[in-house]
Amino acid sequence: MSLKHGLLGLLQYGSMTGYELDKAFKSSLSFFWQAKTSQIYRELDAMEGKGWLISQRIFQQEKPNKRVYTITDVGKRELRNWLPSPEGDIADAMGVRSGFLMRVFFGGEMSNQEALALLRAYRKKCLESRDALLAAHDAMAEYGPMVKDDRTAKFWNMTLAYGEAFHRAGLEWAEQSIAFLEEEQP
Amino acid sequence: MSLKHGLLGLLQYGSMTGYELDKAFKSSLSFFWQAKTSQIYRELDAMEGKGWLISQRIFQQEKPNKRVYTITDVGKRELRNWLPSPEGDIADAMGVRSGFLMRVFFGGEMSNQEALALLRAYRKKCLESRDALLAAHDAMAEYGPMVKDDRTAKFWNMTLAYGEAFHRAGLEWAEQSIAFLEEEQP
DNA sequence: TTAATCATGTAACACGTTACATGATTGC
DNA sequence: GCAATCATGTAACGTGTTACATGATTAA
């Protein structure tokens, strides 16, 4: 239920349209949770059915009509109860699920060239995803002042620190593994 | 398709029953890919439909009947083609999907006590999941000698190194974050 | 003139999770 | 006597992905 609760969390900061939620989600939460636009709309629909939020249609003449979502008291209570009861999530918090590692595991079936190409592509992605983290950093710096208590911002920074630590670990692993394969076959 | 290809990979080492595959998967691949027993049976079924493997029923009088799966040439080709073409997987190789971090991100809505409890539960899981890594290490040490070329074992160890690096990063992050919250409110 | 942005979705499919069922044998 | 292991699944549900559709406005 993390996606639903992520959306609830964002709506606590203010009412938004699906489109705005999608952008807010992608700019600030997407480095630890990815969601497609179409899925966000579906979830919002389901959440309205549960009474966690209400929506109002806004008719516009210049732009397409839109729908503004507002969190309800039921929704706030739901979020409040969900936050400190992470039984399941903690269980697989350490659990990676990586198709990439699946390929590495069976790397023995590939040539050294192919395996190296795989690892180099991974390293490239690592470097690129640095940008996503920096973007999240900027987004938080932008929205941070809008939140009254700076305690909120501290938790945001904690997740950023997590992202950075894992990013660093991935990059270092890639460098070492590439070096290892390179000295295998010159 | 990583689960299907993981199963194909295991079947390259030898024919196995669903039950054995489930155990092999859980002991060696589960630290980077988790799958439920029921899902494995469903996937095996689908894979047989694609012609990637064939199964033979074995009737036993002492124990329940079983079904032995064998990879076909089509399956071997499929695996061989899949391994070095990771476009999609590389794209989200760096992408964590963590319900735990979702909770941390909105930690400002919790009390310091609750947030600390969350982080301490995470640290505890970290320490426990060390065992899963060690188990994977043992499993690889056990199966390693059975594989003719030790190149295979090298890739296994690479994935283990990845697991260890990320484990370490997670633990360090947890320690720091806990310390940070503790000095906030004594 | 082409692409991007605004703003909304639907449909189908793939993959993952939970709960349940069966029934013998082996070890404490 | 009770739990665990062996060995197989089915059914329902929840979540994530892909492909597609609409149609105006604004910036390169």
Side-chain angles (χ1 to χ4, degrees):
Chain A
M1 300 290 247
S2 299
L3 174 51
K4 287 190 179 69
H5 291 89
L7 293 169
L8 279 182
L10 290 176
L11 285 173
Q12 282 236 109
Y13 303 144
S15 298
M16 274 183 268
T17 67
Y19 190 78
E20 288 167 331
L21 274 165
D22 185 48
K23 278 194 303 177
F25 200 96
K26 289 195 160 79
S27 70
S28 52
L29 311 181
S30 68
F31 75 94
F32 61 83
W33 197 281
Q34 303 80 44
K36 307 277 160 162
T37 308
S38 61
Q39 198 190 354
I40 288 178
Y41 283 109
R42 192 178 53 183
E43 295 299 307
L44 286 170
D45 221 54
M47 288 159 78
E48 193 165 14
K50 284 172 190 269
W52 294 358
L53 39 81
I54 47 163
S55 71
Q56 294 164 267
R57 274 219 97 105
I58 309 248
F59 297 93
Q60 299 177 120
Q61 60 277 61
E62 327 232 308
K63 294 177 174 181
N65 297 333
K66 59 184 179 178
R67 191 180 287 275
V68 177
Y69 294 91
T70 305
I71 190 168
T72 62
D73 286 343
V74 179
K76 285 179 190 168
R77 226 176 304 131
E78 173 60 33
L79 178 62
R80 192 64 198 66
N81 290 336
W82 177 80
L83 280 171
S85 40
E87 294 74 32
D89 281 349
I90 287 281
D92 39 57
M94 282 267 68
V96 190
R97 193 190 292 266
S98 167
F100 165 69
L101 279 192
M102 189 71 88
R103 293 176 207 260
V104 175
F105 190 89
F106 296 108
E109 308 291 326
M110 282 185 271
S111 69
N112 240 333
Q113 299 307 319
E114 288 172 316
L116 266 170
L118 185 65
L119 291 170
R120 287 185 181 132
Y122 176 81
R123 177 176 55 186
K124 188 152 168 272
K125 258 296 154 203
C126 264
L127 295 169
E128 284 168 23
S129 77
R130 191 95 249 278
D131 300 343
L133 273 172
L134 292 175
H137 197 279
D138 291 351
M140 291 182 200
E142 187 186 342
Y143 292 114
M146 290 166 58
V147 193
K148 53 236 157 283
D149 58 341
D150 65 352
R151 197 155 159 277
T152 299
K154 281 175 185 155
F155 284 99
W156 292 0
N157 287 325
M158 242 155 92
T159 61
L160 268 183
Y162 186 103
E164 276 153 18
F166 277 72
H167 181 270
R168 201 161 36 240
L171 196 56
E172 276 167 22
W173 173 85
E175 303 288 7
Q176 282 163 22
S177 303
I178 290 168
F180 178 74
L181 283 190
E182 276 172 346
E183 77 191 28
E184 283 279 293
Q185 190 204 257
Chain B
M1 299 294 246
S2 299
L3 175 51
K4 286 190 180 69
H5 292 88
L7 294 168
L8 279 182
L10 290 177
L11 284 173
Q12 282 236 110
Y13 303 143
S15 297
M16 275 182 267
T17 66
Y19 190 79
E20 288 167 329
L21 273 166
D22 185 48
K23 280 194 302 176
F25 200 96
K26 289 195 160 77
S27 71
S28 54
L29 311 180
S30 68
F31 76 93
F32 61 82
W33 198 281
Q34 303 80 43
K36 308 278 158 163
T37 307
S38 60
Q39 199 190 353
I40 288 178
Y41 283 111
R42 191 177 53 183
E43 295 300 308
L44 286 171
D45 221 55
M47 288 160 77
E48 194 164 15
K50 285 172 190 269
W52 294 358
L53 39 83
I54 47 163
S55 71
Q56 294 165 267
R57 275 218 95 106
I58 309 248
F59 298 93
Q60 298 180 121
Q61 59 276 62
E62 329 233 307
K63 293 177 175 181
N65 297 333
K66 58 183 180 178
R67 190 180 286 276
V68 177
Y69 294 92
T70 304
I71 190 167
T72 62
D73 286 343
V74 179
K76 286 179 189 168
R77 225 177 305 130
E78 172 60 33
L79 178 62
R80 192 62 198 68
N81 290 335
W82 177 81
L83 280 170
S85 40
E87 294 73 33
D89 281 348
I90 286 283
D92 39 57
M94 282 268 69
V96 190
R97 194 188 292 265
S98 168
F100 165 70
L101 278 192
M102 189 71 88
R103 293 175 209 261
V104 175
F105 190 88
F106 296 109
E109 308 291 325
M110 283 185 269
S111 70
N112 240 332
Q113 300 307 318
E114 288 173 315
L116 266 170
L118 186 65
L119 291 171
R120 288 186 182 131
Y122 177 80
R123 178 177 52 185
K124 188 153 168 272
K125 259 296 155 204
C126 264
L127 295 169
E128 283 168 23
S129 76
R130 191 98 248 280
D131 300 343
L133 272 172
L134 292 176
H137 197 279
D138 291 351
M140 292 182 199
E142 188 186 340
Y143 293 114
M146 292 166 56
V147 192
K148 54 240 156 278
D149 57 342
D150 65 351
R151 201 158 156 275
T152 299
K154 280 176 186 157
F155 284 99
W156 292 0
N157 287 325
M158 241 155 92
T159 62
L160 268 183
Y162 186 102
E164 276 152 18
F166 277 72
H167 181 271
R168 201 161 35 241
L171 196 56
E172 275 168 23
W173 174 84
E175 303 287 8
Q176 282 163 22
S177 302
I178 289 168
F180 178 74
L181 282 190
E182 276 172 346
E183 74 191 30
E184 283 278 294
Q185 190 203 257

